[in-house]
Amino acid sequence: MRWRRARERLIETLIRLSGFSAIAIVMLIFVFLLKEGVALFRTVPLGEFLTGQRWYPISEPPGFGVFPLICGSLLVTIGAAMLSVPLGIASALFISEIARGWMKELLKAGIELFAAIPSVVLGFIGMTLLAPLIRQAFHVPTGLTALTGSITLAFMAMPTIVSITEDALTAVPRGYREAAMALGATRWQMMVRVLLPAAGSGIVAAVMLGIGRVIGETMAVMMVTGNAAVIPHTMLQPVRTLTATIAAEMGETVRGSDHYFALFAIGIVLFVITFVVNLIADRFLHREQR
Amino acid sequence: MKPTEAPKLIVQDLDLYYGDFQALKRIQMSIVSRQITALIGPSGCGKSTLLRCFNRMNDLIESVQMRGRILLDGQDIADPSLPLVTLRKRVGMVFQRPNPFPLSAFENIAFGLHLHALAAGRRIHAIVEQSLQAVGLWDRLKDRLHQPALRLSLEEQQRLCIARAMAIKPEVILLDEPCSTLDPIATGKIEELLYALKEHYTIVIVTHNMQQAARVSDTAGFLLLGELVEFGPTNRLFTNPRDPKTEAYITGRFG
Ligand SMILES: Nc1ncnc2c1ncn2[C@@H]1O[C@H](COP(=O)(O)OP(=O)(O)O)[C@@H](O)[C@H]1O
Ligand SMILES: [Mg+2]
């Protein structure tokens, strides 16, 4: 009896410990990121860092303006969202409301398989198949453009958006569907006027998680966007994203140099963007309950 | 007695299968206009299935196979000349569990009006008010028309669902055990409401509560294992059943 109680207490302590250590590790990472990133602002003012248009970290004098990188990230992300959100929601509607039997099972399995493709493979496909297509279709000098990145990333966001949206749709009570049909709604009206609004918060969460995946994605974008750190004016120009910059340059920096600190500062920018996205997702997820 | 009218709904030799399982067997019945017809019987006997035939809700279930005909004002409801959407506008339904949409009370009622483009602007407001008046919710809801309907009590939700069904001016209202989630007082109120509504609507109500059927209906049908054992005036059916199985059921010997 006493032995059992001791065991309970031990397990409880272990669980609590792992909970706290998870929080502690996150805090430590954040503090480290902040400390290394903020160090940059001793030499480069924050305003210049955010709005500066030159990213030439190893030129003389160096330029540490991340504005082109922010633009690159936003452009690729918005493009990917514009492709993957409507397609993803439509696919989820098809899978949950229209497809039946083996078709439904096949599609669901397909989506899961899709989610399992490593991003480097998608990047590889984007580079070898998509980029030449885009170069020829739009007659541009290089196929490695923001659009190529958007399309590739849309494929990465799709499985997340489809599967979470599908869950949200499936969770809509049958009573809502029946009520709509009994009032004489067509299937289409039922989906648009009842299902989508009823699943709304779940769908927003799906979209935000999908977008979160896109913003943080590094390998695939690095392979297909051309990595030119200039402010893009169209989707058909090469761009460079925040993530790709960190990944490409971290290996070459000297620890403690301005360049090194600048990459951490980029990390802070990414952190803030992701945090805001999560905050929005959270707002929507809990809107219903309030 | 009202002057005799042609029956609103006629069921002819209706068989219904879920896959191999026959849920309705050779159903024959006529439902009179502006009356309340009750369908009673033990759970699983096919009451809901029969009710859902009248607005073709069973079409949503893949395994369902049907034979026989149902006529609405003499017209076959399966006939392509009567589009499903029109049928469901003419034959409304209220479900066992109150199922208002997760919208405001106002939007719930306006929903069907938008679907069928029956009204716009101010007219919508007028119809919402009328429908809520008819179900006795107007005074309680007029100041919170735009609050979520899911915050209402179950009874209020069920009334709202009745109002929602009525707003599109159906001719027939089908109710599937509309009081089964309500307490006796709320049940009594809904029954009074049905009684008032029958002046304008043909009502078919499924209930497993015999007292309720006896209280509210003009005609009653007793279903058992998919067969319509007996169908006739409620008074007669409850005081002088012709079939021994009906008698056994209403005297509580099984079910
Ligand atoms: N979707 C369905 N698929 C297969 N069988 C069903 C389905 N719905 C109902 N049934 C069967 O049909 C019979 C009648 O059901 P139902 O009409 O719901 O009965 P009641 O409403 O009288 O309780 C029951 O035996 C039930 O199991
Ligand atoms: Mg039933």
Side-chain angles (χ1 to χ4, degrees):
Chain A
M1 197 58 211
R2 186 191 296 162
W3 165 233
R4 186 187 283 176
R5 197 173 306 156
R7 201 178 59 173
E8 293 271 307
R9 195 161 307 153
L10 181 72
I11 291 173
E12 211 183 289
T13 315
L14 280 176
I15 291 174
R16 189 167 299 160
L17 217 67
S18 54
F20 281 133
S21 60
I23 297 173
I25 291 171
V26 171
M27 292 297 280
L28 281 176
I29 291 177
F30 180 66
V31 167
F32 181 66
L33 184 68
L34 210 62
K35 181 176 137 289
E36 301 287 84
V38 167
L40 175 76
F41 304 134
R42 284 198 297 258
T43 42
V44 184
L46 178 64
E48 196 183 312
F49 173 71
L50 287 178
T51 59
Q53 309 201 348
R54 287 177 64 249
W55 177 259
Y56 293 116
I58 44 178
S59 304
E60 205 45 61
F64 290 115
V66 291
F67 192 65
L69 311 182
I70 294 177
C71 288
S73 273
L74 287 183
L75 191 65
V76 171
T77 304
I78 290 169
M82 276 165 58
L83 291 170
S84 60
V85 170
L87 266 176
I89 293 176
S91 311
L93 270 177
F94 183 78
I95 293 175
S96 95
E97 301 304 313
I98 297 168
R100 291 274 168 269
W102 61 268
M103 171 83 125
K104 186 175 178 132
E105 294 313 313
L106 189 77
L107 285 171
K108 284 174 84 162
I111 294 292
E112 258 163 48
L113 206 66
F114 219 130
I117 300 178
S119 79
V120 63
V121 172
L122 273 180
F124 182 67
I125 294 173
M127 206 166 157
T128 54
L129 294 180
L130 186 60
L133 261 176
I134 285 187
R135 184 167 55 85
Q136 283 159 19
F138 297 101
H139 303 288
V140 283
T142 167
L144 301 176
T145 64
L147 181 64
T148 322
S150 291
I151 296 175
T152 310
L153 288 187
F155 278 109
M156 295 204 54
M158 278 277 279
T160 310
I161 295 178
V162 175
S163 63
I164 296 177
T165 301
E166 204 243 331
D167 286 347
L169 290 172
T170 310
V172 174
R174 206 172 60 133
Y176 295 168
R177 291 163 222 256
E178 288 191 324
M181 301 306 270
L183 283 168
T186 60
R187 208 141 69 145
W188 173 246
Q189 287 172 321
M190 187 270 286
M191 286 190 239
V192 172
R193 293 173 186 227
V194 177
L195 277 188
L196 290 183
S201 54
I203 295 175
V204 172
V207 167
M208 287 299 160
L209 286 172
I211 290 179
R213 204 173 164 198
V214 168
I215 295 174
E217 169 50 35
T218 308
M219 188 44 81
V221 272
M222 202 152 89
M223 291 168 80
V224 300
T225 54
N227 295 318
V230 290
I231 295 175
H233 296 285
T234 74
M235 291 292 284
L236 292 168
Q237 274 175 287
V239 293
R240 174 189 281 220
T241 63
L242 295 165
T243 50
T245 307
I246 299 177
E249 297 175 9
M250 196 46 115
E252 306 159 4
T253 60
V254 182
R255 196 174 169 147
S257 67
D258 279 350
H259 188 193
Y260 171 88
F261 292 137
L263 294 183
F264 274 94
I266 291 179
I268 297 177
V269 173
L270 264 174
F271 178 86
V272 169
I273 294 176
T274 317
F275 186 73
V276 169
V277 168
N278 283 344
L279 211 63
I280 296 172
D282 206 55
R283 267 287 157 86
F284 273 91
L285 263 182
H286 298 298
R287 199 166 57 171
E288 228 84 317
Q289 281 95 305
R290 257 179 286 152
Chain B
M1 250 343 243
K2 287 181 201 165
T4 47
E5 287 183 71
K8 190 73 190 172
L9 285 161
I10 301 177
V11 182
Q12 295 177 339
D13 288 331
L14 184 73
D15 286 314
L16 185 143
Y17 297 83
Y18 290 110
D20 293 333
F21 171 71
Q22 185 165 10
L24 295 176
K25 298 170 188 161
R26 298 255 125 191
I27 306 287
Q28 302 261 19
M29 64 199 281
S30 298
I31 288 169
V32 181
S33 275
R34 290 165 220 275
Q35 273 201 354
I36 299 182
T37 301
L39 299 173
I40 58 171
S43 158
C45 67
K47 306 180 296 292
S48 300
T49 304
L50 177 56
L51 196 72
R52 292 162 62 93
C53 289
F54 294 127
N55 63 347
R56 292 180 54 189
M57 283 300 275
N58 289 323
D59 288 18
L60 300 175
I61 302 168
E62 269 166 287
S63 65
V64 165
Q65 296 276 339
M66 259 179 67
R67 268 203 309 267
R69 296 203 304 169
I70 296 177
L71 308 178
L72 172 65
D73 285 335
Q75 187 184 17
D76 191 336
I77 62 167
D79 198 274
S81 67
L82 179 60
L84 197 52
V85 166
T86 313
L87 171 69
R88 289 185 180 151
K89 188 200 160 296
R90 291 176 63 187
V91 181
M93 185 168 228
V94 175
F95 296 81
Q96 188 165 352
R97 316 190 124 261
N99 57 357
F101 299 122
L103 305 168
S104 69
F106 183 93
E107 288 168 310
N108 262 281
I109 296 180
F111 188 89
L113 301 175
H114 290 305
L115 281 185
H116 300 284
L118 291 179
R122 278 233 163 108
R123 277 283 295 147
I124 293 191
H125 198 92
I127 297 177
V128 169
E129 175 171 350
Q130 250 171 40
S131 315
L132 287 176
Q133 288 276 14
V135 298
L137 272 186
W138 177 250
D139 289 329
R140 256 183 282 173
L141 290 195
K142 63 177 179 231
D143 300 320
R144 37 188 185 132
L145 284 177
H146 297 285
Q147 287 179 17
L150 294 175
R151 282 201 209 142
L152 302 175
S153 73
L154 275 182
E155 182 223 333
E156 290 170 329
Q157 288 187 17
Q158 195 61 305
R159 280 175 187 261
L160 182 68
C161 291
I162 297 174
R164 178 176 67 184
M166 282 171 39
I168 57 173
K169 304 265 179 298
E171 298 155 32
V172 181
I173 299 181
L174 311 170
L175 301 109
D176 192 349
E177 304 196 24
C179 304
S180 65
T181 56
L182 306 182
D183 63 51
I185 293 173
T187 301
K189 288 186 189 159
I190 299 269
E191 286 175 9
E192 277 169 35
L193 169 62
L194 295 181
Y195 212 79
L197 290 180
K198 81 170 173 176
E199 227 177 291
H200 304 286
Y201 303 93
T202 304
I203 295 176
V204 186
I205 179 171
V206 161
T207 171
H208 61 221
N209 176 338
M210 276 178 291
Q211 287 76 36
Q212 181 169 61
R215 279 193 302 265
V216 301
S217 68
D218 304 289
T219 307
F222 171 56
L223 277 156
L224 186 63
L225 298 173
E227 281 180 78
L228 186 62
V229 174
E230 189 160 349
F231 187 72
T234 304
N235 265 336
R236 214 262 303 126
L237 192 128
F238 277 94
T239 53
N240 187 16
R242 289 190 184 140
D243 195 295
K245 282 180 276 188
T246 314
E247 188 179 355
Y249 182 68
I250 61 177
T251 54
R253 264 182 280 147
F254 69 89

